[in-house]
Amino acid sequence: MNESSKTLKKRFNIIDFLLIVLIIAALISVLLRNDVTSALNVGQKKTNIEYTFIVENIRDISCDKFAEGKEFLLQSNEKSIGTLTSYEVLPYEQFMELSNGEIVKSQVPNRYNLKGTVKTQVQKGNDGYYLDDNVFLSAGSTFYVKFDILYFMITVISVNEVPAS
């Protein structure tokens, strides 16, 4: 055998360099096009917000458990979604049909709506606000929440940015 065939060296040339640069550019363009950076919370800034929520049709015993300064947790992963800053208890009303066919709004005894405000810090993306684990937060969102020993569903009414305190 020929000794020169055994000692072949692999050299890095300009074509290899161009291929590597093209592959990196393609990966970056795919990430940017598919908005993967926002899914990974890259380039998003933290923002302080307050959101207003409502819990409907709960008992007075449950209303007594609420207290300002307590933390709301998602039931699914027990991560914080904010701290209760204020709340008010309202009577629960529903529409009822009378025997003559008339529909009236009536208060239901021993049942209440609870409306409150929660303050938290979220990621602000191009399309809105995100809690931890990329949970989108907007008016109309519903969350299953754990609060103290209570488990219930909240419906977000509004979301507002607030200055850092």
Side-chain angles (χ1 to χ4, degrees):
M1 261 205 197
N2 195 350
E3 295 217 13
S4 63
S5 65
K6 289 183 181 178
T7 59
L8 288 177
K9 288 187 177 179
K10 294 188 180 188
R11 292 186 180 203
F12 187 74
N13 61 25
I14 191 78
I15 294 174
D16 295 330
F17 177 74
L18 288 175
L19 283 174
I20 291 171
V21 169
L22 285 174
I23 290 171
I24 291 172
L27 287 173
I28 290 172
S29 69
V30 166
L31 290 175
L32 293 176
R33 178 180 293 162
N34 294 329
D35 207 19
V36 174
T37 55
S38 67
L40 298 174
N41 291 335
V42 175
Q44 295 177 342
K45 62 179 180 176
K46 289 276 192 177
T47 303
N48 292 318
I49 62 156
E50 282 187 342
Y51 62 90
T52 306
F53 69 92
I54 191 163
V55 180
E56 297 180 302
N57 194 11
I58 60 174
R59 297 181 304 167
D60 56 347
I61 296 171
S62 299
C63 292
D64 293 341
K65 300 287 183 198
F66 281 80
E68 294 175 4
K70 293 234 180 171
E71 192 170 28
F72 277 21
L73 304 173
L74 283 177
Q75 284 184 24
S76 58
N77 58 13
E78 295 200 7
K79 290 198 174 182
S80 175
I81 60 170
T83 304
L84 185 65
T85 58
S86 66
Y87 69 96
E88 64 178 319
V89 178
L90 307 167
Y92 177 66
E93 299 176 326
Q94 72 181 47
F95 290 100
M96 302 177 81
E97 184 177 358
L98 300 177
S99 59
N100 64 0
E102 182 182 353
I103 297 178
V104 295
K105 195 174 195 179
S106 174
Q107 288 186 5
V108 178
N110 299 322
R111 299 305 250 177
Y112 299 93
N113 288 343
L114 189 132
K115 185 177 177 183
T117 303
V118 173
K119 189 170 186 178
T120 189
Q121 198 172 49
V122 296
Q123 299 285 339
K124 183 177 181 182
N126 294 335
D127 54 347
Y129 303 104
Y130 291 89
L131 297 165
D132 290 336
D133 292 341
N134 288 328
V135 176
F136 189 67
L137 176 68
S138 67
S141 299
T142 57
F143 298 104
Y144 291 95
V145 174
K146 176 183 177 188
F147 179 80
D148 201 21
I149 60 170
L150 300 175
Y151 293 86
F152 52 90
M153 183 182 79
I154 65 170
T155 302
V156 177
I157 298 171
S158 66
V159 180
N160 300 312
E161 286 189 34
V162 294
S165 56

